[in-house]
Each structure stands twice: as structure tokens, then as C-alpha cells.
Amino acid sequence: MEANNEKTCQSEIEKRIEEALEISGKEASDELPYEFKYQAKEKFEKLITELLPSNDKVLIGRLCYYLGVICYDTDEPSIAEKLFIKAVNELGDYSKGINLTEIQEEENSFSIDKLNDIDLSIKNDTSICLDMNASIYFCESYNYLGMIWCNRGDYEKSCTFLKKAEDIHSQFQSTANEDVKEKHKKAMEKCFTMTAFYLAQVYAIMKDVVSSSKYCFFTLKRQLEGGIEFDKYEWVENCLQLSAYFLQSDINDFGTAFYFIKASEFIFNQNSSSLLERDGGKDLKYKIEIAKGKYFLTKLNYCKDWVEKNEPNRIIESHILKAVDDQVVVPIVPLIDSSQFHFDYPGLESNSDVQTVARNFKDALVIFKEGKKAFEMSLNHFVLEGYVTDHVSILQDLSQAYRSLIFFEPDLDRKIAMEERRLELIQELVNELNVIHYRFTLKQLTFEVGEIYVTVLELLLLKSKFKENYKEPTVKRLNTVITNSIKYLIKFSELFKERGAVNVEPENNVVYIRSHLLLARMYYNYISSDPTTTIEYLKKSLIEYEYSVKFHKQLDENIGIEGEIDMAKQMCSLLPIKIDEINRLLHM
């Protein structure tokens, strides 16, 4: 009879809990957004007060968790924190952990108001719950504590709580038996998916990219394979971010990076109808194309850097790459073991392709064409009007893809043609963008355009050097290129002037000095049959060299261009002699 009464009592308690949860989940009006949350809060608080004498720690801990969630949702994080700590203290099995504070009996009364005056702390470091069927509330309490401290900006403390949630899930997996209900097992898996998600975010904020990517993958994998509902839009975005991680220079895992791009595309295509109806859905479709383009660009850049580092003897006159006769295949070896990074999901088999270094123009062209196709597809959507930043960024990436391909091209005329194609892509943007809104972008564009013209000049001069194989450029052509380079390098320099004063950000010191060194070279290379004009340009060259040396001297530290500055100092000594010599000949 007593057992039946206890069962009836337990059933009544569960009914009251369900009613409170139902009230809490009701949609409130904009005028009273927390109306139903507050009603549910009162019911839970009353229920805890009634149950305190029974000393049912698991039930009290569970109710504190529910109350903590309500306080968290109603923007009361300090009260929520104490409720989650109380939930942890009630639910934890102290016999399976180490006491962190002295365990004291608490009074048999409960009021949220009283929590303001209580300094609560976690009493025991246990990762085991008193009742395995209540482990979800134990684990989620730590998740919420992690979020609260993340929102406060204490990421180390946030990480500590989230790692404890991970430990609880691990212990649950190893100790859960047939007495644990299936719904609680599923709830714990869903809970840990959120733990992994939060850890990925916190580690990202802490700049721990390796840990962030690890937990990001755990989250994606669990969402995809766990049979739980998840946001497909966020999943695709996160998967693209994971791809970018594997493209980093300290990893170079191109196979895994492309696998995640394909996974993003696969899930998008599976859910395209619903995703395209969402705000930003079409943007997401073409972000996948951008990711493909960046993948091929990064791979092409890697191949260029590899040849420069490992086969420097193939490079002639800094611009011409000698062909290779051998058929040696050089694999790209990832710098980490990423074999576990794949999904057990139909249609997403692991990528086992061996990635190899492109060492010649033919192989580099294959990579370039794939990247170009992806970038051009994305440009059809991310047009200049409405998507300025995206549009410009894609064109800059496409320009860089041409730049790396040019390295492998053996023919000087074709090199020049591709450099001119780069100018077609980005030069007009300099005139179209508003300097007030896009000063940073304009700095990048004007320097790149000026630098392209410098490269074209160098290639034209090489044609003169190898005139048995090429038609020699005219003086007019050379001077036109020089004049255009000067024009854009001056534009670049002027972008650092604000109200008449030069303001160069520390991160731009190198490129700012280089722009003046390039200006000095361009003035020096200007060709004129008039000695007076020659002297004028040599003087301008001297001014730029002197300015570069002076600006560099003002800096407090070495910035990696000291060799170039030494050359500039030599020119500062030689140019006055050359100017005097021409003046002397002019007045003879």
C-alpha cells in the first residue's frame, strides 16, 4: 500500500513538472516576453520547497536545473549560475569524486531570492550522477555554466566547465546499463553534441584553432550521424570553415579540405529546396563555389612555393621556370594525421585521393582552371552592386590564381598577357570604389595594380634580353608601363594621408616602404632622349630612395626588408653622382 502511495506521489510530481515545462514553452507576447517563464518559475520554486524535507537529491537537482534554464532564458545569469551549481551539487555522486569544499547540511527551505545572498560553489569534482537517468541534467548544468562564463569573457573558466560536461558524457557512455532509459541515452548524445559545439566556439575565441576544429568536426559528425534534427544552413557553413582549417599552411591537407567542401555541397543539395527559401540560402550556395575556388588557389600557391623552395635552380632571371624532363610524382604530405576526419554517412565516403605537387605548367593549368571556374560561378551571384566586399574579394583571389599560374608559364609573351588579364580584373575597381567606405580595400588594390605594372616592365625588359626569341618592346611601350605603375603606386601612398599627415598602420609598414622603393625603381627606369627629363626622373628616384631610408630609420624594429634598405642607401650615394655626371655632359 505504501509503495502504491509513493508511486502515486511520484506520478503527481511528474505531472506538475510537465505542466510547468509546458507553461514555460508557451509563446509570449512582445509586451510581456517572459510572462509564461515567470509563471513556470513560481511552480518549480513551490515544488522544490515542498520536496526539500524529503531530501530527494536527484529530484531537487533536476528542478534546480529547470529553474536555472528559466533564469538563463530571462536574462538572470547570476541566479541561473547558482541554480546550476546547486543542481550539480545535488546530482553528483560524492563517493565517486574528490570534495572541493567542506560538505555542510543546507536548511530545508528554498527561495530564489535567498540565492542572491549565498556564495555557492561546486562541492565535488565527480563526473558520475547519483541516478544515471538524471545524467542529462547533470551534464546540461555544466554546459550552461560554460555558456555563462563564456558570455562573461572568462573563456578558460568556460572551457573548464564544458570539459567537465565532456567527462560526464564519457563516464555515462562507459557505465550506462540496461536500467538507463533509451530516451535518456539519446538526450545525453544530443547534450554532448551541444557540448562539442560550445567547445568549438570557445576554443575559436581563444585562438586554439586545432582544438576548435576538432570539436567543430565532432559536432558536425554527431549531428549528421546521430539522427537528431539540426540546422542544415549552419552545418554547411561550419563544414566550409572546417575545410578552410585544413588548408592552413601548417597542415596542408588538401584531400581532407576538399572532402569537407564536397560534404557541404552534398548536404546543401540534399536540402536545397528548404535552404534556398531561407534568407541567405542562395548566398550559401555560391559560398560553396568560393570555397572551391579558394581550395584550388591555395593548392596552386602551395605548388608554386614548393618549386621555389625545393627546385630553385629551375628559376632563371627571377621569372622564367625551366621545364622538367623527369616524370617524378611528388606527393603532398599533410602535416597532421587527419584519417579520422570523415563522416559515416551514405554518399560521403572518405576521400582517399593522393594529392601531388604540380611542377610544370600543364599540371598547374589543371588546378587553375578548376579554381577559375568556381570563382567565375560565384561572381555570377556576388555582383558588385549589392555585394561589393564579396565581389572584390573574389576578383582579388582570381588575380592571385593568375599570378601563381604565371610562375609556371615558360613563355614571356603569355606571361605578359596573363598579367594584363589581372589588370582587367581589378584595375577598374580602383576608380569605382568609394575611398571613404573602402580605404582598406583600395590600399590592397592600388598596390597590386602598381606591382603588376612593375612585373610587366620586368618581363618586357627580359624580352629585350632574349631578343633572339622575342620581339623587342618599344620605348613608348616601356614608358607607358612605367607611367601607369607610378600612377597607381602614388595613389597607394596617398591613401595613407589623412588631413595632410602620413598615418601608416604597423602592419602596413613593409608594403608602404616597398611602394616607395618601387616608385624609385620606376622613376630610375624611365627612358628619355632628353637629358633634362632624365635628370628630372633621376631626382624623383633619389627622393623616393631617401624617403624610404628615412621612414625605415624611424621604425623601432627590423621588419624584414633591411637588405632592400641597404640597396636603397647605395642608390642614395650613386644617384647624385649620376645626376652630376649628366649635368656636366649637358653643359659641356
Side-chain angles (χ1 to χ4, degrees):
M1 185 72 178
E2 187 176 327
N4 287 335
N5 288 337
E6 186 177 332
K7 191 172 181 181
T8 302
C9 183
Q10 185 64 37
S11 175
E12 181 62 30
I13 290 170
E14 290 297 330
K15 183 179 177 182
R16 288 173 67 183
I17 290 173
E18 288 301 319
E19 286 175 355
L21 288 173
E22 187 177 341
I23 291 169
S24 177
K26 285 184 179 180
E27 189 172 341
S29 66
D30 292 338
E31 293 77 18
L32 298 169
Y34 300 143
E35 176 185 7
F36 297 118
K37 300 282 185 190
Y38 290 145
Q39 289 179 18
K41 188 163 118 178
E42 289 178 9
K43 289 184 176 294
F44 279 127
E45 189 174 355
K46 183 179 179 182
L47 188 54
I48 290 179
T49 303
E50 292 175 12
L51 288 171
L52 275 175
S54 71
N55 200 30
D56 188 335
K57 295 178 73 67
V58 171
L59 189 52
I60 291 168
R62 181 180 160 197
L63 292 170
C64 284
Y65 163 76
Y66 288 139
L67 270 170
V69 172
I70 290 174
C71 289
Y72 184 88
D73 290 343
T74 55
D75 298 323
E76 299 174 273
S78 295
I79 298 298
E81 179 192 8
K82 291 180 178 182
L83 284 163
F84 290 127
I85 290 173
K86 186 167 177 59
V88 164
N89 288 339
E90 295 293 332
L91 291 166
D93 184 349
Y94 292 179
S95 67
K96 303 293 191 341
I98 299 171
N99 290 340
L100 303 175
T101 63
E102 185 180 347
I103 308 298
Q104 296 178 341
E105 290 295 322
E106 295 179 3
E107 58 182 274
N108 286 339
S109 63
F110 180 85
S111 170
I112 287 182
D113 294 334
K114 286 184 179 181
L115 290 176
N116 283 315
D117 305 319
I118 299 174
D119 183 21
L120 282 179
S121 59
I122 294 175
K123 297 176 180 178
N124 190 283
D125 74 345
T126 182
S127 296
I128 306 286
C129 187
L130 284 168
D131 180 350
M132 296 302 285
N133 282 305
S135 293
I136 179 63
Y137 312 112
F138 193 38
C139 192
E140 281 282 32
S141 291
Y142 274 107
N143 271 351
Y144 272 101
L145 287 168
M147 286 190 286
I148 287 168
W149 282 99
C150 179
N151 293 336
R152 290 171 177 169
D154 191 334
Y155 306 115
E156 292 287 350
K157 195 164 187 175
S158 171
C159 195
T160 300
F161 284 123
L162 293 171
K163 291 293 287 182
K164 174 57 75 172
E166 183 179 27
D167 289 344
I168 292 168
H169 171 262
S170 178
Q171 289 287 345
F172 178 85
Q173 279 191 314
S174 62
T175 56
N177 53 34
E178 63 275 4
D179 294 333
V180 179
K181 296 176 182 177
E182 193 61 33
K183 70 173 184 178
H184 292 306
K185 290 180 180 179
K186 288 182 178 179
M188 277 296 284
E189 294 310 306
K190 186 175 180 180
C191 173
F192 179 62
T193 298
M194 295 312 298
T195 305
F197 176 77
Y198 299 140
L199 279 167
Q201 308 307 309
V202 172
Y203 278 125
I205 296 169
M206 294 169 68
K207 308 298 182 187
D208 185 344
V209 183
V210 174
S211 298
S212 175
S213 299
K214 168 188 166 185
Y215 283 103
C216 179
F217 171 70
F218 283 172
T219 305
L220 297 177
K221 185 176 177 68
R222 295 178 68 82
Q223 287 174 330
L224 194 62
E225 300 171 8
I228 59 174
E229 187 57 35
F230 59 92
D231 188 320
K232 309 300 189 298
Y233 187 103
E234 284 187 2
W235 195 96
V236 171
E237 278 201 321
N238 290 330
C239 202
L240 291 177
Q241 289 176 13
L242 202 54
S243 169
Y245 164 71
F246 284 97
L247 288 179
Q248 292 181 126
S249 59
D250 56 348
I251 298 175
N252 295 326
D253 191 342
F254 293 97
T256 302
F258 198 59
Y259 171 75
F260 284 120
I261 293 172
K262 290 194 295 185
S264 300
E265 189 171 41
F266 182 86
I267 296 302
F268 184 93
N269 290 339
Q270 271 197 337
N271 302 275
S272 58
S273 298
S274 59
L275 287 174
L276 287 171
E277 290 176 0
R278 285 182 57 168
D279 288 343
K282 199 169 183 183
D283 289 356
L284 185 60
K285 176 182 177 180
Y286 289 97
K287 282 179 182 177
I288 296 172
E289 295 302 321
I290 292 176
K292 287 182 190 174
K294 285 184 179 292
Y295 163 81
F296 289 110
L297 168 61
T298 307
K299 188 174 181 181
L300 192 58
N301 288 341
Y302 175 89
C303 295
K304 172 181 175 289
D305 293 343
W306 188 94
V307 172
E308 287 178 324
K309 180 181 178 181
N310 295 281
E311 300 176 340
N313 294 335
R314 292 177 58 197
I315 304 169
I316 305 169
E317 300 287 348
S318 302
H319 285 289
I320 301 171
L321 186 67
K322 286 195 299 186
V324 282
D325 298 326
D326 62 74
Q327 300 298 314
V328 175
V329 175
V330 179
I332 299 175
V333 181
L335 300 179
I336 64 169
D337 177 16
S338 51
S339 57
Q340 76 275 21
F341 287 96
H342 67 275
F343 303 116
D344 294 322
Y345 191 82
L348 289 178
E349 291 74 19
S350 182
N351 187 343
S352 58
D353 295 342
V354 176
Q355 302 290 320
T356 59
V357 176
R359 299 170 60 228
N360 55 55
F361 179 75
K362 180 183 175 183
D363 293 340
L365 184 61
V366 172
I367 300 171
F368 170 80
K369 283 183 174 179
E370 290 296 326
K372 180 173 179 284
K373 181 172 72 174
F375 282 136
E376 288 178 343
M377 282 187 68
S378 62
L379 282 171
N380 290 331
H381 174 70
F382 291 107
V383 295
L384 186 60
E385 187 176 348
Y387 294 99
V388 177
T389 303
D390 294 300
H391 184 85
V392 172
S393 178
I394 295 165
L395 288 177
Q396 287 176 297
D397 282 342
L398 188 50
S399 170
Q400 290 305 304
Y402 270 105
R403 182 174 180 268
S404 288
L405 180 65
I406 289 166
F407 170 80
F408 291 95
E409 171 56 64
D411 184 84
L412 290 175
D413 283 322
R414 288 200 292 268
K415 281 179 179 285
I416 292 169
M418 284 192 277
E419 292 287 2
E420 289 172 341
R421 175 62 183 137
R422 292 179 67 197
L423 290 172
E424 290 174 11
L425 289 171
I426 64 173
Q427 186 170 334
E428 193 55 37
L429 292 171
V430 175
N431 302 319
E432 293 185 23
L433 297 183
N434 186 315
V435 68
I436 296 174
H437 302 298
Y438 298 104
R439 182 178 291 270
F440 174 78
T441 303
L442 281 167
K443 287 176 182 177
Q444 294 177 330
L445 291 170
T446 49
F447 183 80
E448 185 173 353
V449 171
E451 195 177 39
I452 291 171
Y453 276 115
V454 171
T455 304
V456 171
L457 176 68
E458 291 170 347
L459 294 171
L460 289 170
L461 293 174
L462 276 178
K463 284 182 65 177
S464 298
K465 187 168 184 175
F466 298 104
K467 51 189 172 186
E468 66 277 6
N469 297 321
Y470 298 98
K471 183 180 177 181
E472 203 168 349
T474 64
V475 170
K476 182 180 179 182
R477 175 85 193 278
L478 292 171
N479 280 347
T480 299
V481 172
I482 289 169
T483 302
N484 281 325
S485 180
I486 290 170
K487 172 185 172 183
Y488 284 97
L489 289 170
I490 288 174
K491 275 180 178 285
F492 171 76
S493 182
E494 287 176 344
L495 287 167
F496 291 92
K497 291 180 181 177
E498 297 178 15
R499 298 175 183 174
V502 174
N503 179 26
V504 183
E505 305 86 352
E507 64 271 18
N508 281 323
N509 280 332
V510 171
V511 71
Y512 181 75
I513 293 174
R514 283 214 171 112
S515 71
H516 285 281
L517 292 173
L518 290 175
L519 268 172
R521 278 180 57 197
M522 293 301 100
Y523 283 128
Y524 183 84
N525 279 290
Y526 190 85
I527 304 167
S528 177
S529 57
D530 178 10
T532 304
T533 303
T534 300
I535 290 171
E536 177 190 341
Y537 274 82
L538 289 176
K539 284 181 177 179
K540 289 180 178 180
S541 177
L542 178 59
I543 290 169
E544 294 299 333
Y545 278 125
E546 288 176 338
Y547 180 80
S548 301
V549 172
K550 181 181 177 182
F551 188 90
H552 178 265
K553 190 176 181 180
Q554 293 171 350
L555 303 177
D556 296 330
E557 56 183 355
N558 291 339
I559 56 174
I561 60 169
E562 283 61 45
E564 295 168 63
I565 293 299
D566 287 341
M567 289 286 293
K569 289 176 181 177
Q570 291 179 35
M571 293 301 293
C572 289
S573 300
L574 294 172
L575 276 172
I577 298 171
K578 186 164 186 174
I579 292 168
D580 287 345
E581 185 181 339
I582 297 172
N583 264 322
R584 184 175 57 79
L585 292 171
L586 185 61
H587 293 96
M588 282 181 65

